[in-house]
Amino acid sequence: EQAVPPEKHNAEHPEYFALLSGQRWKAGDGNAQYCLSNPDVQELIYQHMAKQFDEGSAGVDLGQPDGFRECQCEECAKLFDTGKDWSEKIWLFDLSVAERLQKSHPGKSVTLVSYILTAKPPKSFKAFPANTRVMLTGTNEEDIAPWRGYDVPGGFSGYIYNSTPNLGTRYTPMRTPNFVEGHVKRLVANKIQSIYRDGNGQLFGLEGPVYYVMGRMFDDPERNAAKDLVPEF
């Protein structure tokens, strides 16, 4: 929506927006949906990213938003010859933008989002341009494993969903110190360059080393070692 603002284009260029059940998406229908095969939409997305580089940004992100809906027009069906495989359509489009930016803005970084439709790696290529990083929205072993064998020169960034309030109640510790240690080692071993801590972020202190004792919490390991102290779960 930053690259193709509905309030600017919807009235004069309805063809920029996704065809859904025979109607073009209209402003006010919720999250904007786009016709990815439209050459003007493709150009506006590239120009928006290039402008951010021109204004001094070292890196930009590219990815489909939450609530993505597939455009049902004939040209989108033919896009990149992938049929109904929208995961591959999006990957190939993202690749084309990254390659173009590599030529026009060498030395800048493009982070491609691996999320929902693109949660799995692309099928038609395994090597990304030199300017590319991939943002994983999961950093457990099952999220990282499918990417082994892919050449991602910029490495990865990732969300740490497995240790935030998304995991459960936000008023108790999310993970044990041993889990955090193992998780950090896995991130380093798999070229995770940065992490995003998703969630609202309540009670940060409770995500450190804590011990449940007789219905109370302590941050003293020696007290936890006492024979009469039983962990609670």
Side-chain angles (χ1 to χ4, degrees):
E1 294 188 28
Q2 294 179 26
V4 192
E7 62 274 14
K8 180 178 181 181
H9 298 291
N10 196 226
E12 294 186 7
H13 293 285
E15 71 277 10
Y16 287 3
F17 300 90
L19 184 68
L20 304 170
S21 301
Q23 301 291 326
R24 292 286 177 179
W25 181 95
K26 293 188 176 89
D29 287 349
N31 292 340
Q33 308 296 325
Y34 295 93
C35 179
L36 196 59
S37 65
N38 186 289
D40 289 343
V41 170
Q42 296 177 4
E43 182 65 19
L44 285 167
I45 291 171
Y46 164 77
Q47 292 294 343
H48 176 72
M49 298 177 71
K51 184 172 183 286
Q52 292 181 71
F53 285 145
D54 293 339
E55 292 175 347
S57 294
V60 295
D61 299 343
L62 175 62
Q64 76 280 7
D66 278 333
F68 177 83
R69 296 177 66 188
E70 306 160 3
C71 179
Q72 298 165 354
C73 78
E74 292 183 8
E75 292 304 312
C76 277
K78 294 185 289 186
L79 184 63
F80 300 123
D81 296 320
T82 66
K84 295 183 179 181
D85 188 346
W86 270 87
S87 174
E88 205 65 11
K89 287 187 199 295
I90 295 171
W91 275 125
L92 288 166
F93 171 73
D94 289 355
L95 175 68
S96 70
V97 176
E99 289 176 333
R100 189 175 175 187
L101 289 167
Q102 171 71 10
K103 293 178 181 178
S104 64
H105 294 78
K108 302 290 188 175
S109 174
V110 178
T111 298
L112 304 180
V113 179
S114 175
Y115 180 57
I116 304 181
L117 271 73
T118 54
K120 296 294 176 66
K123 306 178 190 73
S124 55
F125 63 94
K126 286 199 169 186
F128 287 79
N131 62 338
T132 307
R133 176 179 294 176
V134 171
M135 186 184 77
L136 305 175
T137 44
T139 48
N140 290 313
E141 173 61 20
E142 61 268 25
D143 303 308
I144 295 173
W147 286 93
R148 296 198 176 102
Y150 282 79
D151 180 11
V152 184
F156 299 89
S157 61
Y159 283 59
I160 48 171
Y161 281 121
N162 53 14
S163 56
T164 70
N166 289 331
L167 185 69
T169 174
R170 63 190 65 180
Y171 300 115
T172 61
M174 297 293 107
R175 290 294 193 181
T176 67
N178 282 342
F179 176 90
V180 173
E181 179 184 8
H183 187 50
V184 169
K185 288 179 178 178
R186 181 168 64 250
L187 297 179
V188 172
N190 289 282
K191 294 180 65 179
I192 303 293
Q193 305 296 303
S194 61
I195 56 175
Y196 177 73
R197 183 187 178 280
D198 195 25
N200 295 327
Q202 283 81 6
L203 301 178
F204 295 98
L206 290 185
E207 295 187 25
V210 296
Y211 303 85
Y212 278 88
V213 181
M214 306 287 285
R216 300 167 63 192
M217 285 188 298
F218 299 92
D219 58 8
D220 183 352
E222 294 182 1
R223 295 197 65 180
N224 188 58
K227 292 182 179 179
D228 60 335
L229 302 182
V230 181
E232 290 189 350
F233 298 93

